[in-house]
Amino acid sequence: YRKMARKYMEEAAFRYGHPLALVRLANEALGRAKSDGSYDGNGKDEYVDLVEICRVWKVESLVGLDRLIQLLESIDNNDKMNGYGLDQDHRYLNLQMAMHLYEVGGKRGSSEAWFNLGHLQWDGFVVNAEHASVVESNNSLNRDTGDKMNDDQIRDQQLMLLEPNKAKAMESFRKAIALGDADAMYFVGAQYLACGAEDVGGGDDETETCSILTNTDDVIDSIPSTQDNSSIATTESPSFLSNDMERRGYQLLSHAAHQHDHGPALHHLALLHYQHQDANEFKLLLSKAASIGHPDSLFLQGHCHYSGSDGYDQNYRKALENFVEAAEGGHVDAMVSAGALLHRGVRSEDVSSGNGAVVERDQRKAFELYQKAGELGSVEGWRNVVA
């Protein structure tokens, strides 16, 4: 059934140009680029079959298949693209396949495709040489010292398969925003806010980012007119925004937050208002982010309920509910906080007058939460397990 499902997915993508199918296959190609480059664990025969079927679909396909066929044939023929060795070349080819499929998916109307492509272009793509079965002699030298490396040093050597290109990334993000992608609005908005901050660092990477953003046309204009962005564009910006970079960033985050209920954007805005002593807006934004299940917001709201601070009444039961919900969303610190509340409980005489909340002790549940947090990397979680 898995093989049949893959064939249908490939047909939807390559024959009919289905954007979601293209993104799904691009994500899989990127996964292969991050591992050992093998296709579905079945070796080169899978590539051979796909090349043949793509040739059949080529005439009627709604997307151009020439580039895809070229990439598949290169993988099938064990072509050496970068001279890093077979595994690394397969990774490189799968990376190129992922980027190609993202671009095709974006042109077919997928905002997710443009956003994923933009992230690749923004960060670049680096792998370790640990999977290399063949390492060329010229790559057995340390690139910094020129000395010959031992096997461990070779495996630890990082290979840059794609150089970052933030200018290209911004074009991809702009296209994602034009299709209404809230993740792209949030990411670009956060970059604008960081560059607009007075205490922004002076490193080369930050300088390059801010230079690109400064020379980029206002991304707000990319938001499609079919969306209700008029209120965002005309609303007076908060007085604490001191420059155009910050105002652009705030507008993008506001649109993602209020038009798309984007949890990270709501949380970011809440913290921004908190930083500038706007308690009412902080509580409003944080409560909305928590209500849609954003783990960071649930965790922070839980602590507000626990301490009775920042406009929230002290309520241990609500605090526990927030911690547990955040923990279910994978928030490790929330697991520890929920475990701590359940470990000791809250007795009636500990509860402030009027809130009526009591938390019963549940040592077993507390232990499970501590253990899960520890397994996910929390030192405090393991410390509480053995305490």
Side-chain angles (χ1 to χ4, degrees), residues 288-311:
K288 184 175 181 180
S291 71
I292 62 175
H294 185 243
D296 287 340
S297 300
L298 285 162
F299 176 66
L300 180 54
Q301 184 176 257
H303 274 288
C304 291
H305 278 305
Y306 182 83
S307 60
S309 61
D310 300 306

mmCIF file of all heavy atoms in Angstrom, residues 288-311:
data_model
loop_
_atom_site.group_PDB
_atom_site.id
_atom_site.type_symbol
_atom_site.label_atom_id
_atom_site.label_comp_id
_atom_site.label_asym_id
_atom_site.label_seq_id
_atom_site.Cartn_x
_atom_site.Cartn_y
_atom_site.Cartn_z
ATOM 1 N N LYS A 288 -5.207 35.480 23.645
ATOM 2 C CA LYS A 288 -5.647 34.999 22.336
ATOM 3 C C LYS A 288 -4.703 33.912 21.826
ATOM 4 O O LYS A 288 -5.152 32.880 21.305
ATOM 5 C CB LYS A 288 -5.715 36.146 21.330
ATOM 6 C CG LYS A 288 -6.259 35.722 19.971
ATOM 7 C CD LYS A 288 -6.426 36.905 19.037
ATOM 8 C CE LYS A 288 -6.993 36.452 17.681
ATOM 9 N NZ LYS A 288 -7.158 37.601 16.742
ATOM 10 N N ALA A 289 -3.397 34.118 21.991
ATOM 11 C CA ALA A 289 -2.428 33.112 21.547
ATOM 12 C C ALA A 289 -2.604 31.810 22.323
ATOM 13 O O ALA A 289 -2.536 30.712 21.752
ATOM 14 C CB ALA A 289 -1.003 33.641 21.712
ATOM 15 N N ALA A 290 -2.851 31.917 23.626
ATOM 16 C CA ALA A 290 -3.058 30.719 24.435
ATOM 17 C C ALA A 290 -4.352 30.015 24.051
ATOM 18 O O ALA A 290 -4.422 28.779 24.032
ATOM 19 C CB ALA A 290 -3.082 31.093 25.914
ATOM 20 N N SER A 291 -5.370 30.786 23.693
ATOM 21 C CA SER A 291 -6.667 30.191 23.360
ATOM 22 C C SER A 291 -6.623 29.356 22.092
ATOM 23 O O SER A 291 -7.455 28.461 21.904
ATOM 24 C CB SER A 291 -7.729 31.286 23.215
ATOM 25 O OG SER A 291 -7.528 32.051 22.024
ATOM 26 N N ILE A 292 -5.657 29.642 21.209
ATOM 27 C CA ILE A 292 -5.534 28.831 19.988
ATOM 28 C C ILE A 292 -4.472 27.747 20.144
ATOM 29 O O ILE A 292 -4.112 27.083 19.185
ATOM 30 C CB ILE A 292 -5.235 29.710 18.751
ATOM 31 C CG1 ILE A 292 -3.903 30.440 18.905
ATOM 32 C CG2 ILE A 292 -6.363 30.682 18.497
ATOM 33 C CD1 ILE A 292 -3.502 31.235 17.660
ATOM 34 N N GLY A 293 -3.951 27.593 21.384
ATOM 35 C CA GLY A 293 -3.093 26.452 21.676
ATOM 36 C C GLY A 293 -1.617 26.650 21.454
ATOM 37 O O GLY A 293 -0.876 25.660 21.369
ATOM 38 N N HIS A 294 -1.127 27.890 21.382
ATOM 39 C CA HIS A 294 0.303 28.101 21.183
ATOM 40 C C HIS A 294 1.042 27.726 22.462
ATOM 41 O O HIS A 294 0.811 28.327 23.525
ATOM 42 C CB HIS A 294 0.586 29.553 20.810
ATOM 43 C CG HIS A 294 2.015 29.807 20.472
ATOM 44 N ND1 HIS A 294 2.826 30.650 21.198
ATOM 45 C CD2 HIS A 294 2.807 29.302 19.485
ATOM 46 C CE1 HIS A 294 4.036 30.670 20.676
ATOM 47 N NE2 HIS A 294 4.057 29.863 19.646
ATOM 48 N N PRO A 295 1.944 26.732 22.425
ATOM 49 C CA PRO A 295 2.562 26.210 23.659
ATOM 50 C C PRO A 295 3.303 27.257 24.482
ATOM 51 O O PRO A 295 3.178 27.287 25.715
ATOM 52 C CB PRO A 295 3.514 25.125 23.139
ATOM 53 C CG PRO A 295 2.910 24.672 21.853
ATOM 54 C CD PRO A 295 2.327 25.915 21.249
ATOM 55 N N ASP A 296 4.101 28.129 23.844
ATOM 56 C CA ASP A 296 4.836 29.151 24.594
ATOM 57 C C ASP A 296 3.885 30.086 25.336
ATOM 58 O O ASP A 296 4.149 30.500 26.468
ATOM 59 C CB ASP A 296 5.729 29.962 23.662
ATOM 60 C CG ASP A 296 6.948 29.187 23.185
ATOM 61 O OD1 ASP A 296 7.300 28.191 23.841
ATOM 62 O OD2 ASP A 296 7.537 29.576 22.158
ATOM 63 N N SER A 297 2.762 30.429 24.685
ATOM 64 C CA SER A 297 1.799 31.329 25.304
ATOM 65 C C SER A 297 1.070 30.650 26.454
ATOM 66 O O SER A 297 0.803 31.272 27.491
ATOM 67 C CB SER A 297 0.796 31.817 24.253
ATOM 68 O OG SER A 297 1.463 32.502 23.208
ATOM 69 N N LEU A 298 0.727 29.387 26.270
ATOM 70 C CA LEU A 298 0.097 28.643 27.357
ATOM 71 C C LEU A 298 1.017 28.558 28.568
ATOM 72 O O LEU A 298 0.581 28.707 29.716
ATOM 73 C CB LEU A 298 -0.269 27.239 26.871
ATOM 74 C CG LEU A 298 -1.484 27.141 25.951
ATOM 75 C CD1 LEU A 298 -1.477 25.817 25.201
ATOM 76 C CD2 LEU A 298 -2.768 27.286 26.757
ATOM 77 N N PHE A 299 2.300 28.312 28.312
ATOM 78 C CA PHE A 299 3.267 28.214 29.405
ATOM 79 C C PHE A 299 3.386 29.547 30.146
ATOM 80 O O PHE A 299 3.355 29.593 31.388
ATOM 81 C CB PHE A 299 4.625 27.800 28.842
ATOM 82 C CG PHE A 299 5.735 27.759 29.855
ATOM 83 C CD1 PHE A 299 5.716 26.849 30.889
ATOM 84 C CD2 PHE A 299 6.813 28.638 29.754
ATOM 85 C CE1 PHE A 299 6.750 26.801 31.831
ATOM 86 C CE2 PHE A 299 7.847 28.597 30.681
ATOM 87 C CZ PHE A 299 7.813 27.679 31.724
ATOM 88 N N LEU A 300 3.486 30.642 29.405
ATOM 89 C CA LEU A 300 3.620 31.954 30.026
ATOM 90 C C LEU A 300 2.342 32.330 30.766
ATOM 91 O O LEU A 300 2.391 32.856 31.893
ATOM 92 C CB LEU A 300 3.953 33.004 28.959
ATOM 93 C CG LEU A 300 4.124 34.439 29.437
ATOM 94 C CD1 LEU A 300 5.151 34.537 30.560
ATOM 95 C CD2 LEU A 300 4.522 35.338 28.264
ATOM 96 N N GLN A 301 1.184 32.059 30.165
ATOM 97 C CA GLN A 301 -0.085 32.360 30.834
ATOM 98 C C GLN A 301 -0.238 31.530 32.106
ATOM 99 O O GLN A 301 -0.763 32.009 33.114
ATOM 100 C CB GLN A 301 -1.264 32.105 29.887
ATOM 101 C CG GLN A 301 -2.606 32.485 30.478
ATOM 102 C CD GLN A 301 -3.740 32.327 29.492
ATOM 103 O OE1 GLN A 301 -4.226 33.298 28.929
ATOM 104 N NE2 GLN A 301 -4.170 31.093 29.270
ATOM 105 N N GLY A 302 0.248 30.290 32.049
ATOM 106 C CA GLY A 302 0.215 29.449 33.239
ATOM 107 C C GLY A 302 0.987 30.073 34.387
ATOM 108 O O GLY A 302 0.530 30.063 35.544
ATOM 109 N N HIS A 303 2.149 30.637 34.101
ATOM 110 C CA HIS A 303 2.928 31.279 35.148
ATOM 111 C C HIS A 303 2.263 32.559 35.640
ATOM 112 O O HIS A 303 2.366 32.904 36.833
ATOM 113 C CB HIS A 303 4.344 31.564 34.658
ATOM 114 C CG HIS A 303 5.271 30.405 34.826
ATOM 115 N ND1 HIS A 303 5.746 30.009 36.052
ATOM 116 C CD2 HIS A 303 5.782 29.525 33.928
ATOM 117 C CE1 HIS A 303 6.521 28.945 35.912
ATOM 118 N NE2 HIS A 303 6.562 28.625 34.633
ATOM 119 N N CYS A 304 1.566 33.265 34.755
ATOM 120 C CA CYS A 304 0.815 34.453 35.188
ATOM 121 C C CYS A 304 -0.302 34.045 36.142
ATOM 122 O O CYS A 304 -0.541 34.713 37.165
ATOM 123 C CB CYS A 304 0.247 35.186 33.979
ATOM 124 S SG CYS A 304 1.479 35.991 32.927
ATOM 125 N N HIS A 305 -1.004 32.954 35.817
ATOM 126 C CA HIS A 305 -2.043 32.454 36.718
ATOM 127 C C HIS A 305 -1.431 31.960 38.032
ATOM 128 O O HIS A 305 -2.007 32.161 39.110
ATOM 129 C CB HIS A 305 -2.813 31.305 36.063
ATOM 130 C CG HIS A 305 -3.890 31.742 35.117
ATOM 131 N ND1 HIS A 305 -4.896 32.613 35.493
ATOM 132 C CD2 HIS A 305 -4.130 31.423 33.816
ATOM 133 C CE1 HIS A 305 -5.713 32.813 34.460
ATOM 134 N NE2 HIS A 305 -5.268 32.106 33.437
ATOM 135 N N TYR A 306 -0.285 31.323 37.951
ATOM 136 C CA TYR A 306 0.340 30.778 39.155
ATOM 137 C C TYR A 306 0.729 31.894 40.132
ATOM 138 O O TYR A 306 0.519 31.777 41.347
ATOM 139 C CB TYR A 306 1.585 29.975 38.773
ATOM 140 C CG TYR A 306 2.280 29.342 39.948
ATOM 141 C CD1 TYR A 306 1.838 28.120 40.474
ATOM 142 C CD2 TYR A 306 3.366 29.963 40.545
ATOM 143 C CE1 TYR A 306 2.469 27.542 41.567
ATOM 144 C CE2 TYR A 306 4.005 29.397 41.644
ATOM 145 C CZ TYR A 306 3.551 28.189 42.144
ATOM 146 O OH TYR A 306 4.166 27.628 43.240
ATOM 147 N N SER A 307 1.279 32.975 39.591
ATOM 148 C CA SER A 307 1.763 34.057 40.448
ATOM 149 C C SER A 307 0.751 35.175 40.650
ATOM 150 O O SER A 307 0.942 36.044 41.506
ATOM 151 C CB SER A 307 3.052 34.645 39.862
ATOM 152 O OG SER A 307 2.814 35.152 38.558
ATOM 153 N N GLY A 308 -0.346 35.127 39.850
ATOM 154 C CA GLY A 308 -1.319 36.211 39.933
ATOM 155 C C GLY A 308 -0.739 37.538 39.494
ATOM 156 O O GLY A 308 -0.876 38.560 40.175
ATOM 157 N N SER A 309 -0.110 37.539 38.336
ATOM 158 C CA SER A 309 0.595 38.740 37.866
ATOM 159 C C SER A 309 0.133 39.146 36.483
ATOM 160 O O SER A 309 -0.567 38.405 35.789
ATOM 161 C CB SER A 309 2.110 38.486 37.842
ATOM 162 O OG SER A 309 2.415 37.427 36.947
ATOM 163 N N ASP A 310 0.522 40.365 36.084
ATOM 164 C CA ASP A 310 0.286 40.897 34.724
ATOM 165 C C ASP A 310 -1.178 40.856 34.325
ATOM 166 O O ASP A 310 -1.528 40.529 33.182
ATOM 167 C CB ASP A 310 1.136 40.128 33.706
ATOM 168 C CG ASP A 310 2.617 40.246 33.991
ATOM 169 O OD1 ASP A 310 3.105 41.379 34.095
ATOM 170 O OD2 ASP A 310 3.291 39.200 34.126
ATOM 171 N N GLY A 311 -2.035 41.183 35.273
ATOM 172 C CA GLY A 311 -3.465 41.286 34.988
ATOM 173 C C GLY A 311 -4.242 40.000 35.162
ATOM 174 O O GLY A 311 -5.461 39.993 34.980
#
